Amino acid sequence: MASARQVLCLCALLCVPRVRCEPIRYSVAEEGESGSVVANVAEDAGLTPAQLSARRARIASPAGRQHFRLERATGRLVLAERLDREEMCGRSLTCTLAFELLLENPLQFFRVEVAVEDVNDHSPVFPEERVTFKILESSDPGLRFPVEAAQDLDVGSNSIQAYTIAPENDYFSVSFKHPRNKFIELVLEKPLDREEQPELLLSLIATDGGSPPRSGTTQIHIVVLDVNDNAPTFTEDVYVGQVLENAPAGSVVLRVEATDPDVGLNGDISYRFSQAVSENQLPFIIDATSGEIRVTKPLDFETTQKYELSVLATDGGGLSGMCNIVVEVMDVNDNAPEVVVSSFSSPLPENTEPGTVVAVFAVRDRDSGVNGEISCALEDQLSFSLRPAYKNYYELVTVSTLDREETAQYLLVITAADTGSPPLTTTQTFTVDISDVNDNAPVFNQTSYTMYVRENNIPGVLVGAVSAVDSDAGSNAKVIYSLRPVHPTEQDPCSCISVNSENGHVFVLRPLDYEQVRQLEVLVGATDAGSPPLSTNVTVRLLVVDENDNAPLVLHPAQDSSPPSSELVPASADVGDLVTKVVAVDADSGQNSWLSFHLLRATDPGLFAVGSQNGEVRLRRPVTERDAVKQKLEVLVRDNGRPPLSATAALSVLLLNGLSQEHLPQQELAVQDEDSSLTIYLIISLVFVSLLFLTSFAAFVACKVCKRKELKGGHVLYGTGNLQSSLAAGAAAGTLPHAYCYEINLTTGSGNSEFKFLKPILPSMPPQHSDTGRGVADTEDFLPIQNSMGDAALDISGTPSVGHFNGLPFN
């Protein structure tokens, strides 16, 4: 019937969440072997074994000691150890072991109570193996002599049920009111006669009610004395005293008192504890003379709340009286709360949802009353909180999102405090580690990178490194570098740059030419090893640093003509007049393209000077008749690189020493008598001019193909041999001024010939200078040298023009 009521109560309470109000009760006999089945708790709780495993069912005992074990696979409750009822409950009539069956997801509790049934495994034991009584022969029948009762650790029907005396005799019988009394009495049935029988030796047998019954025996030695017919008598049958559990040793608990109407030795009373319990085990001592009971050892309310003792008062004649002592131990707040952890989960992933249960624990206090009332608190924590679960159980739950990169570990301190005075506290620390999830992409330490490499580099040269860090941990923080297309439409990234996937080192795989590629821009991606992986891109700009690997290129005068063209310098030219200008460029940049000009060698080094910055060739002194007519110059053009590169320009200058101002009056009639050498000279000059024109045209075509920037021009003293070609080339390159028209007057009345250089027909343009930093030598306006001439004139322009020689036209 009891089992049926439990099942009905269980069915009625299945709908109640989390807590079962009516406990599940079982009974089990003590001394059962470990592993013995108590009952099927899953069936009685309305659960299946699968639910027990899924919901992590377990037994939570408030006392901390596990007497039972739950088999999740079958749902059976079995013994975890051999049970000894007398060890667990003493002589208590009932012995119940209570615990909770704890389930998770959702949290649910079932209270289970197991009553431990007694078995007859102990025999009655008397405290003394031999008891001696000295009885006056004058003692009247009916006189009673107390004997300390036997002790049987079993209870109920298994405890002591009867006492008998052997052998049977006519003098004594045994009397007892209740088996649980501390003492029994020997009753004198008939007067003793010392002269007939001075002493008696009897056996007192205690028998319990077990099946089969057990018994214990003590020897009773009766010594018959002369008259001492009054035994000590206590003022009270039961003495009750109270003492605080923290009472110091020597504190008086109470005082017993007994009286004896006899006088002399028969009236002297001494007190002692009953030998049912050894005095060495008691925390008390009794003064044999005064009857004061004092504390000798520390008391503990949580271990023993009450002591029941027996005190014997014996007079000098051997008569004794007995009383019972009850000492109640009063509780003080001497036990701090205890925290018993049932479950704890660590580490937690950082994406754990708020409300997740981290730990389940119970609190208890061995004190009683207000000293045992407990409150719990969580110290200074915003991400976690405490939530009461059931009775003295609490849940530690998350209340906000977690971020491992912000806090990788939480130290959660739980403080349990009682309400005693003063209150006692206990702290329990939960160390919750936060496990990483891949929620952070790699971050480069720069928003962009600029690296430099010199042109003509070695293949595979290291030019720098990119670095990215990922605030995640483990494989989520491992960064892998790779090249990516700069534009989405590109199929592959630049093939001349490579990046190490492990350390981010950037390499240039092939030599670069500054004149072809001045900078490259690639996209480097950093991807972590998480799932799914996260990535970040950064722009890497590679700048090619120029090296001095290009020698200067001479544009003017052209160096591919053979023989080189000649410049004409009249004898009337002044010091500082411009003879010609060397124009050169350098494909390098920066200081590698800064050009300087130097006179390397000359027929007469003292006659000409070369401008180091602009390449202008000017007269250093006047022309004399001693100077050679044909002067050869070689100009060195050198850049500013390290080491410097250079080129040379070969120049040819004709000094017109035979033309003089004083020999140029107009004498038209004397042309036929002029020296024939002048005619030959003019013919040679015309042929030379034609050759120069062809050379200049070829240079014009080459300049157009190369698309060189315009060179600024200037006025120059040109000879008749190369004037038209130089002007054509200069006009094509954009470096020389507009065409000039010159007049030459020749007379026949003199022994030498001179040119007359007039201003240009077109207005002269203002001087222009090109940027020497761009590798092009400065070109300036050539200044005309004027002289008073005669009538004959020679017009030299971009195309061959018609002049007059002594009135005769020539081309």
Side-chain angles (χ1 to χ4, degrees):
M1 292 297 293
S3 176
R5 285 197 299 270
Q6 291 177 359
V7 172
L8 290 176
C9 183
L10 175 63
C11 295
L13 296 177
L14 283 177
C15 59
V16 179
R18 307 180 72 173
V19 181
R20 175 191 175 102
C21 63
E22 184 68 20
I24 303 174
R25 294 186 174 90
Y26 302 107
S27 63
V28 62
E30 67 170 337
E31 303 298 331
E33 294 297 328
S34 176
S36 300
V37 178
V38 177
N40 193 316
V41 69
E43 180 179 346
D44 295 338
L47 302 171
T48 64
Q51 288 178 312
L52 294 181
S53 299
R55 298 178 63 183
R56 298 174 61 187
R58 57 189 177 278
I59 293 175
S61 175
R65 184 174 178 180
Q66 298 290 346
H67 299 290
F68 303 93
R69 186 175 67 253
L70 177 64
E71 293 181 352
R72 293 181 182 176
T74 61
R76 296 186 301 179
L77 183 67
V78 300
L79 293 178
E81 58 182 8
R82 186 181 67 84
L83 301 180
D84 188 342
R85 185 186 185 281
E86 290 74 28
E87 178 183 352
M88 295 185 294
C89 302
R91 293 183 56 80
S92 176
L93 293 178
T94 60
C95 184
T96 302
L97 301 179
F99 57 90
E100 282 81 27
L101 176 61
L102 174 64
L103 296 95
E104 297 181 1
N105 300 323
L107 184 64
Q108 189 174 10
F109 297 84
F110 292 88
R111 181 170 179 84
V112 181
E113 295 179 356
V114 180
V116 181
E117 303 293 338
D118 184 52
V119 297
N120 191 27
D121 59 342
H122 294 87
S123 297
V125 177
F126 284 91
E128 296 180 89
E129 294 181 358
R130 185 182 180 92
V131 179
T132 300
F133 291 98
K134 297 178 180 181
I135 305 174
L136 293 175
E137 61 180 351
S138 60
S139 299
D140 295 329
L143 186 63
R144 295 175 178 269
F145 301 94
V147 180
E148 291 182 65
Q151 302 293 324
D152 192 339
L153 297 179
D154 296 321
V155 295
S157 62
N158 294 326
S159 63
I160 297 173
Q161 301 296 320
Y163 290 89
T164 57
I165 294 178
E168 294 182 359
N169 63 89
D170 297 329
Y171 293 100
F172 293 94
S173 65
V174 63
S175 173
F176 67 100
K177 297 179 181 179
H178 192 275
R180 296 192 64 185
N181 284 357
K182 297 291 183 181
F183 55 89
I184 61 177
E185 295 175 324
L186 288 177
V187 181
L188 182 62
E189 297 293 338
K190 60 183 285 188
L192 297 173
D193 188 356
R194 179 184 176 280
E195 287 71 22
E196 180 182 353
Q197 193 174 359
E199 62 181 18
L200 294 173
L201 187 62
L202 306 174
S203 295
L204 179 60
I205 302 172
T207 306
D208 63 20
S211 180
R214 293 174 176 262
S215 63
T217 304
T218 186
Q219 297 297 320
I220 304 297
H221 182 212
I222 306 298
V223 178
V224 182
L225 300 176
D226 286 340
V227 176
N228 181 21
D229 54 351
N230 291 290
T233 303
F234 286 92
T235 58
E236 297 181 19
D237 292 335
V238 179
Y239 290 84
V240 179
Q242 294 180 339
V243 61
L244 295 176
E245 63 174 323
N246 61 349
S251 300
V252 178
V253 180
L254 56 85
R255 181 178 180 272
V256 297
E257 183 179 2
T259 61
D260 194 335
D262 294 331
V263 295
L265 182 63
N266 293 327
D268 293 337
I269 300 174
S270 63
Y271 302 94
R272 66 180 176 87
F273 285 121
S274 166
Q275 294 183 359
V277 179
S278 175
E279 290 190 7
N280 294 330
Q281 299 177 1
L282 289 175
F284 307 102
I285 191 173
I286 187 170
D287 188 284
T289 302
S290 63
E292 287 183 346
I293 298 176
R294 297 177 180 271
V295 177
T296 60
K297 298 178 181 178
L299 303 176
D300 189 359
F301 172 84
E302 289 70 38
T303 301
T304 306
Q305 292 83 26
K306 182 170 64 174
Y307 292 89
E308 295 181 358
L309 309 172
S310 297
V311 176
L312 291 175
T314 305
D315 63 10
L319 298 180
S320 61
M322 182 176 287
C323 72
N324 291 329
I325 304 296
V326 177
V327 180
E328 296 178 351
V329 181
M330 307 302 293
D331 182 44
V332 295
N333 192 28
D334 60 343
N335 290 278
E338 299 178 10
V339 178
V340 181
V341 180
S342 298
S343 66
F344 175 53
S345 300
S346 180
L348 291 177
E350 60 178 320
N351 59 352
T352 299
E353 293 294 332
T356 301
V357 177
V358 180
V360 177
F361 62 91
V363 292
R364 65 183 182 184
D365 196 317
R366 298 177 63 190
D367 295 323
S368 61
V370 295
N371 297 328
E373 296 177 1
I374 307 173
S375 62
C376 285
L378 178 62
E379 296 182 3
D380 299 333
Q381 185 54 245
L382 299 178
S383 299
F384 298 83
S385 69
L386 283 180
R387 186 170 64 190
Y390 167 71
K391 287 187 178 180
N392 58 336
Y393 281 88
Y394 290 86
E395 292 178 333
L396 180 63
V397 299
T398 60
V399 295
S400 63
T401 57
L402 306 176
D403 188 356
R404 188 204 66 83
E405 289 72 36
E406 181 179 345
T407 305
Q409 186 183 78
Y410 290 89
L411 296 178
L412 308 179
V413 180
I414 308 296
T415 302
D418 59 27
T419 56
S421 180
L424 300 179
T425 60
T426 298
T427 59
Q428 172 72 37
T429 301
F430 293 95
T431 301
V432 181
D433 296 319
I434 308 302
S435 60
D436 184 55
V437 297
N438 192 28
D439 57 348
N440 290 279
V443 177
F444 285 94
N445 58 1
Q446 296 179 209
T447 57
S448 63
Y449 292 84
T450 300
M451 302 177 185
Y452 299 88
V453 61
R454 292 188 174 275
E455 65 172 327
N456 306 316
N457 56 285
I458 301 174
V461 65
L462 174 66
V463 295
V466 297
S467 178
V469 295
D470 196 311
S471 54
D472 292 321
S475 61
N476 295 331
K478 182 180 180 181
V479 179
I480 301 174
Y481 302 94
S482 61
L483 284 179
R484 299 183 178 177
V486 177
H487 302 290
T489 57
E490 296 181 0
Q491 297 297 324
D492 296 313
C494 179
S495 61
C496 62
I497 296 179
S498 174
V499 62
N500 189 298
S501 62
E502 298 293 333
N503 53 30
H505 287 177
V506 179
F507 300 90
V508 178
L509 302 180
R510 58 183 177 83
L512 300 179
D513 188 354
Y514 173 84
E515 286 71 37
Q516 294 182 1
V517 179
R518 299 200 174 187
Q519 77 172 32
L520 293 173
E521 192 171 285
V522 297
L523 205 61
V524 176
T527 306
D528 59 30
S531 180
L534 302 178
S535 62
T536 306
N537 299 331
V538 71
T539 300
V540 176
R541 184 176 294 103
L542 179 65
L543 300 181
V544 183
V545 179
D546 181 48
E547 285 194 345
N548 192 28
D549 59 344
N550 290 278
L553 174 64
V554 178
L555 300 179
H556 177 79
Q559 298 299 303
D560 54 355
S561 60
S562 180
S565 59
S566 297
E567 306 294 341
L568 300 180
V569 177
S572 60
D574 295 330
V575 174
D577 286 347
L578 181 65
V579 176
T580 186
K581 183 170 184 175
V582 178
V583 180
V585 294
D586 195 311
D588 295 321
S589 65
Q591 66 177 7
N592 294 329
S593 64
W594 297 351
L595 302 180
S596 60
F597 302 84
H598 308 277
L599 183 61
L600 186 61
R601 61 178 59 89
T603 303
D604 188 350
L607 182 59
F608 301 97
V610 178
S612 62
Q613 300 298 323
N614 51 28
E616 293 179 348
V617 180
R618 296 180 181 272
L619 288 176
R620 294 184 63 183
R621 62 177 176 82
V623 178
T624 63
E625 295 182 357
R626 294 191 299 272
D627 294 329
V629 173
K630 186 174 184 180
Q631 296 283 334
K632 291 185 177 180
L633 306 178
E634 190 170 347
V635 177
L636 176 68
V637 183
R638 182 169 57 196
D639 59 27
N640 198 34
R642 293 292 182 271
L645 301 178
S646 61
T648 58
L651 304 176
S652 179
V653 178
L654 295 179
L655 302 180
L656 303 181
N657 294 329
L659 297 179
S660 173
Q661 182 73 20
E662 61 187 57
H663 292 94
L664 294 177
Q666 300 216 359
Q667 300 177 3
E668 297 292 340
L669 299 177
V671 172
Q672 292 82 2
D673 298 329
E674 185 64 48
D675 192 273
S676 59
S677 60
L678 179 59
T679 303
I680 297 173
Y681 178 79
L682 291 177
I683 294 173
I684 294 174
S685 297
L686 291 175
V687 173
F688 190 61
V689 168
S690 299
L691 293 175
L692 285 179
F693 173 77
L694 296 176
T695 303
S696 298
F697 182 78
F700 169 77
V701 174
C703 290
K704 274 294 187 180
V705 173
C706 294
K707 295 183 180 179
R708 295 295 184 180
K709 294 184 178 181
E710 292 186 355
L711 299 175
K712 297 180 181 180
H715 304 285
V716 64
L717 296 175
Y718 289 101
T720 59
N722 64 348
L723 183 58
Q724 290 182 353
S725 62
S726 296
L727 289 175
T735 61
L736 297 179
H738 297 287
Y740 286 82
C741 180
Y742 297 92
E743 292 183 353
I744 181 170
N745 295 322
L746 303 178
T747 61
T748 58
S750 61
N752 55 358
S753 301
E754 294 182 357
F755 282 93
K756 178 181 180 182
F757 290 82
L758 303 178
K759 292 183 179 180
I761 297 175
L762 298 176
S764 62
M765 302 299 291
Q768 298 179 356
H769 302 273
S770 64
D771 185 3
T772 57
R774 299 175 58 88
V776 181
D778 290 342
T779 57
E780 299 181 353
D781 294 338
F782 294 107
L783 300 178
I785 301 176
Q786 300 183 9
N787 198 355
S788 298
M789 289 288 180
D791 297 331
L794 176 64
D795 183 14
I796 304 175
S797 60
T799 56
S801 60
V802 179
H804 297 272
F805 181 74
N806 285 341
L808 297 177
F810 67 92
N811 290 332

